[in-house]
Amino acid sequence: MKMKNLTLAQVRRGERFTLDGVEFVKLEDDLDAAFAVAADTLPECCQFEDDDAEREDHNNYAGSLLSKTVERWLRDKHPAIFSAVVERPIDLTTMDGMTDYGKPLAVVRALTIDEYRKHRSILPLTSKPYWLATGWTTNSSPHSSVSYAYYIGTDGTVNYNYAYHAYFAPRPALYLKSSILVSVETEDEGKALADYSDTDLIDELYRRRRSTYDPD
């Protein structure tokens, strides 16, 4: 296998590509951007919620430790990716349909439950279970509990757990400019003619002529 450079717009849905050393999966095109998710999770697990005693909406992705972790990963470790990001809103509707958490803008974030269901058929399994950005419910619900958020197991199943458990890893998702160049694996079909120097071509012609007239 070898790598070739393409614009992100040329990458097909479900195809993997590499940018700044990170492997992603393209999920869909959206105007002048493409939605993509990391092919695997980040190495370290983290809590969903931030350890803030005054905060009551523990499963609100906005301002959560999970959101801060993926943002730090992008800004501190991958400035080349950060420069190609298109900021877009994320829908934080909880599993029971509560819309209290709104649709804040994000440069990088976790997948929501709806995005996971939409793209599950092309999402590769991961080495660690990972958080989604979707909470179970909010304080506005009659049977409220802001302690739970959803995660995906290594076998692809959906479940929920306490937001203060650090059993699950972040899996960054983001919108990238469609015009950027990314690397894609391609079958190695050998060198093209243009890859050889004039000297290589002359030597090869000479070798073939000799083999034609010299049976030994």
Side-chain angles (χ1 to χ4, degrees):
M1 302 292 286
K2 64 179 182 179
M3 305 298 289
K4 65 178 179 180
N5 291 331
L6 299 173
T7 63
L8 185 52
Q10 294 175 286
V11 178
R12 297 185 298 272
R13 180 176 185 268
E15 190 172 12
R16 298 190 185 208
F17 66 90
T18 301
L19 180 62
D20 196 25
V22 181
E23 189 175 37
F24 292 95
V25 179
K26 182 175 177 179
L27 301 181
E28 62 183 352
D29 291 299
D30 183 17
L31 300 177
D32 58 348
F35 189 40
V37 66
D40 203 355
T41 66
L42 300 188
E44 301 297 328
C45 294
C46 71
Q47 295 178 190
F48 185 105
E49 70 167 350
D50 202 350
D51 288 325
D52 186 344
E54 297 181 0
R55 182 167 178 159
E56 295 183 357
D57 54 347
H58 304 294
N59 62 359
N60 185 353
Y61 180 79
S64 66
L65 180 61
L66 178 60
S67 70
K68 294 173 183 176
T69 299
V70 292
E71 287 170 10
R72 275 198 304 269
W73 167 82
L74 182 65
R75 293 176 187 273
D76 296 348
K77 296 186 177 181
H78 297 285
I81 300 176
F82 179 69
S83 67
V85 168
V86 178
E87 193 175 45
R88 290 287 172 83
I90 175 174
D91 187 347
L92 296 182
T93 301
T94 54
M95 184 61 82
D96 63 343
M98 302 302 291
T99 59
D100 304 34
Y101 298 157
K103 298 180 180 181
L105 289 173
V107 293
V108 61
R109 57 352 179 275
L111 292 171
T112 67
I113 186 69
D114 290 334
E115 290 164 347
Y116 177 75
R117 288 184 293 199
K118 180 178 181 180
H119 301 296
R120 178 170 181 173
S121 64
I122 59 171
L123 283 169
L125 298 177
T126 54
S127 57
K128 288 181 170 58
Y130 60 95
W131 287 113
L132 296 176
T134 303
W136 182 46
T137 188
T138 72
N139 278 330
S140 298
S141 175
H143 299 286
S144 64
S145 175
V146 294
S147 297
Y148 298 107
Y150 283 83
Y151 73 90
I152 303 299
T154 53
D155 58 356
T157 54
V158 180
N159 211 327
Y160 63 90
N161 208 301
Y162 290 109
Y164 50 78
H165 280 170
Y167 300 154
F168 315 109
R171 187 182 193 181
L174 36 65
Y175 285 88
L176 295 164
K177 298 173 185 175
S178 297
S179 58
I180 63 171
L181 285 177
V182 298
S183 298
V184 178
E185 275 194 354
T186 183
E187 294 290 337
D188 188 356
E189 298 175 350
K191 283 186 176 181
L193 192 61
D195 295 330
Y196 291 92
S197 68
D198 291 342
T199 302
D200 290 336
L201 293 172
I202 291 170
D203 287 346
E204 177 62 15
L205 287 172
Y206 182 70
R207 184 191 66 77
R208 293 188 184 190
R209 284 175 61 88
R210 287 193 61 186
S211 64
T212 300
Y213 294 108
D214 186 357
D216 298 329

